[in-house]
Structures are given as structure tokens and as C-alpha cells.
Amino acid sequence: ASREIVDKAGLIVAPENTVEIEQALSKMVEQRQLRQKLITMGLKRARLFTWTKFARGVLRTVDKYCV
């Protein structure tokens, strides 16, 4: 996911960088407090993104440019 979506609720890594991916996964396994914090923040952040909000945004855009 992009930085805009993840915000501070996850660890950002370059998808082609296997070393960064391994380091991030190791952090998540080894650091329980970090893992719990990111789970909590991620669930909270996920509530910001719903199909209803997405659909309303699409309809607003269509109304604005196609009507």
C-alpha cells in the first residue's frame, strides 16, 4: 500500500527490496509492542476506507465533470 494509505499504521518498505522486507517482518515478529500498536492503528485507519465513501466520491466526480 502507498504511504498515503498506510500513514503511520504500518512499516513502509520498497517492494523490490528484499532486505527491507525481511527487516520489517523481523521487527513485526520480534517487537510485540510495535506489532500491537500497528495492529490497533491499522484497524482504526481501515475504518476510514469504505466502499460507501469510495462510491460517493466517484459519484461526486461524475456529477462534477459529466453533468
Side-chain angles (χ1 to χ4, degrees):
S2 68
R3 187 173 304 278
E4 294 81 17
I5 299 297
V6 174
D7 195 33
K8 295 177 182 150
L11 302 176
I12 303 295
V13 297
E16 71 283 346
N17 189 327
T18 57
V19 173
E20 280 187 22
I21 294 169
E22 184 272 330
Q23 290 170 344
L25 288 171
S26 291
K27 274 186 184 181
M28 295 299 289
V29 169
E30 296 167 1
Q31 298 180 27
R32 186 169 194 256
Q33 285 183 325
L34 173 64
R35 182 173 62 246
Q36 286 305 123
K37 177 183 172 186
L38 293 178
I39 288 170
T40 300
M41 291 172 66
L43 291 171
K44 185 177 179 181
R45 184 111 179 107
R47 287 192 283 274
L48 299 174
F49 304 96
T50 67
W51 284 111
T52 302
K53 288 181 182 179
F54 171 75
R56 286 184 179 141
V58 170
L59 289 174
R60 276 194 304 272
T61 302
V62 170
D63 284 345
K64 184 176 179 177
Y65 294 104
C66 299
V67 176

